[in-house]
Amino acid sequence: MIPLAMPLIGDDEIAAVNRVMRSGMLAQGSEVAAFEEEFAAAEGANAAAAVSNGTTALIVALQALGIEPGDEVIVPSFTFAATANAVATIGAIPVFADCDPDTFCIDPDHAASLVTTHTRALIAVHLYGHMAAMGRLHELARDNELYLVEDAAQAHGAERDGHRVGSLSDLATYSFYPTKNMTTGEGGMVTGRDLELVERIRRLRNHGMTERYHHATVGTNARMTDIAAAIGRVQLRRLEIWNRQRRAIAATYDLHLAGNVAVPFVAADTYHVYHQYTVRSSRRRDLVESCEETGVGYGIYYPIPCHQQAAFDRYSSGRALPHTESASEEVLSLPVRPNLTEAEIEQVIDAVNKGAKE
Ligand SMILES: Cc1ncc(COP(=O)(O)O)c(C=O)c1O
């Protein structure tokens, strides 16, 4: 069986964890501070605040921007539920937008049609590692005085039109879950250009404390541990090469799968980091059967879009999102992790082509 994803943990990560364990300082400390600085530098942000995971990253980002109960936040329906859950968790209202049928990311035109006097923010999700149309979303946010947040849980290191993740938004959030392009076990990060905003996130993640037992605002415990940060610092050094390896595998797949399935669309001037390599076919069932028969791991992200989930019933108002609905029936993600062997890559190609031709 070729697993779809696996964390790439080597001796350096293990040594880093041992170092922290021996230091006696396990919770948020100097490793977290160093990781924040290094991550901000790597992503071209002015500052970064590490948090416990990608979901809390979204929650504290929205809170730091002052999103309040009853505010509307436009989100794509075609995303992991965490995006919408973060909005709903703080009492705001997720308003679901359709996706662009090519990139699967939020459709700026449809998002524009959803703006009301209650809309306060817009979240762009860079699905599968391909950045959303940030230029247009930035204009939309600016013209309507909305905050713009990037959910970059799947897009560490991605770029589009010369813009790096985080450069056209108020805040960008990341996840370091083990299947992501880099991991800390569990973990997340918020990056931003406005230092005061990032400072607000640091307070929110630590019970609103400005100094020990002085609570300026209500907050929570969304801190990252030094153990996680030590892993992240090692992983960050490998991110660029891993992304290049993902891209090389994707190029090989493109070459051998095009014609049998729709291979991932890449917009002009886009640096796709292939968190997932996602093909599209109206005959997905045949592809799935072939993968199962030949031991190729696969994933369907996502089989039920957010606007059709019971959890979000009261927000979706029965609205149809045609591009999202057909994507959820046709997408299939294939293994693209950097440590795939040549033989495994060939096995994946054979499984897909066999399934497509049956
Ligand atoms: C698009 C997206 N947003 C948010 C998250 C949440 O991240 P975490 O699992 O670290 O809470 C994920 C993680 O799977 C994700 O894929």
Side-chain angles (χ1 to χ4, degrees):
M1 172 75 177
I2 302 174
L4 179 67
M6 65 169 70
L8 304 181
I9 299 294
D11 290 344
D12 290 347
E13 283 85 348
I14 292 166
V17 169
N18 281 338
R19 189 183 69 238
V20 174
M21 300 289 261
R22 292 205 175 92
S23 76
M25 178 64 204
L26 306 186
Q28 184 187 294
S30 59
E31 290 288 335
V32 168
F35 184 35
E36 289 176 341
E37 238 178 69
E38 290 161 9
F39 193 84
E43 289 293 325
N46 285 346
V51 290
S52 48
N53 57 60
T55 309
T56 53
L58 282 163
I59 292 172
V60 292
L62 294 170
Q63 287 174 325
L65 292 169
I67 307 303
E68 292 186 339
D71 288 343
E72 292 178 6
V73 179
I74 298 172
V75 298
S77 171
F78 201 47
T79 177
F80 182 52
T83 318
N85 265 332
V87 175
T89 296
I90 62 165
I93 299 167
V95 178
F96 295 112
D98 209 351
C99 66
D100 172 325
D102 291 328
T103 64
F104 302 119
C105 294
I106 192 166
D107 170 3
D109 289 329
H110 190 241
S113 74
L114 300 172
V115 175
T116 73
T117 51
H118 302 291
T119 312
R120 293 285 312 285
L122 175 60
I123 305 182
V125 180
H126 305 318
L127 204 69
Y128 307 143
H130 187 293
M131 267 176 80
M134 286 306 295
R136 297 194 46 213
L137 294 167
H138 174 68
E139 282 169 21
L140 175 63
R142 186 198 55 204
D143 294 349
N144 293 279
E145 295 181 9
L146 308 178
Y147 290 116
L148 179 56
V149 175
E150 287 170 83
D151 179 345
Q154 304 184 3
H156 319 67
E159 284 180 29
R160 183 165 177 177
D161 299 324
H163 298 294
R164 190 91 183 197
V165 170
S167 57
L168 286 176
S169 60
D170 295 287
L171 291 168
T173 66
Y174 297 81
S175 164
F176 303 122
Y177 187 72
T179 56
K180 298 297 192 280
N181 291 35
M182 60 173 282
T183 187
T184 61
E186 292 269 11
M189 190 73 80
V190 186
T191 62
R193 287 168 294 155
D194 179 341
L195 297 183
E196 165 50 31
L197 207 46
V198 176
E199 211 39 55
R200 223 177 285 166
I201 286 163
R202 295 209 171 101
R203 281 198 297 275
L204 285 163
R205 75 173 170 196
N206 194 22
H207 294 295
M209 267 194 271
T210 43
E211 55 187 290
R212 209 162 164 73
Y213 304 127
H214 289 251
H215 303 267
T217 56
V218 171
T220 187
N221 176 359
R223 296 183 301 260
M224 176 181 275
T225 66
D226 258 18
I227 303 169
I231 300 171
R233 293 180 71 194
V234 177
Q235 294 260 309
L236 183 60
R237 294 202 289 272
R238 314 217 195 292
L239 177 65
E240 208 179 308
I241 184 151
W242 282 339
N243 281 346
R244 263 189 263 140
Q245 286 167 335
R246 285 175 181 273
R247 287 170 54 82
I249 297 167
T252 305
Y253 284 162
D254 282 353
L255 202 62
H256 292 93
L257 300 181
N260 288 332
V261 292
V263 298
F265 171 86
V266 183
D269 289 326
T270 297
Y271 193 81
H272 193 327
V273 294
Y274 292 99
H275 168 60
Q276 299 293 348
Y277 182 91
T278 302
V279 300
R280 180 171 191 158
S281 168
S282 56
R283 296 175 50 218
R284 182 172 68 190
R285 190 191 292 265
D286 295 329
L287 304 184
V288 164
E289 270 173 22
S290 180
C291 285
E292 284 177 353
E293 276 164 21
T294 55
V296 169
Y298 65 89
I300 294 174
Y301 308 110
Y302 296 91
I304 307 171
C306 289
H307 74 286
Q308 293 180 330
Q309 296 282 357
F312 304 121
D313 257 359
R314 68 192 160 120
Y315 306 113
S316 36
S317 55
R319 208 181 276 133
L321 300 177
H323 294 308
T324 297
E325 286 157 32
S326 79
S328 70
E329 285 163 15
E330 296 185 350
V331 292
L332 182 74
S333 297
L334 303 169
V336 71
R337 56 190 158 74
N339 64 344
L340 282 175
T341 64
E342 292 291 328
E344 287 173 327
I345 292 169
E346 234 171 79
Q347 202 177 321
V348 174
I349 292 168
D350 289 349
V352 174
N353 286 338
K354 181 169 159 276
K357 283 176 186 152
E358 256 162 20

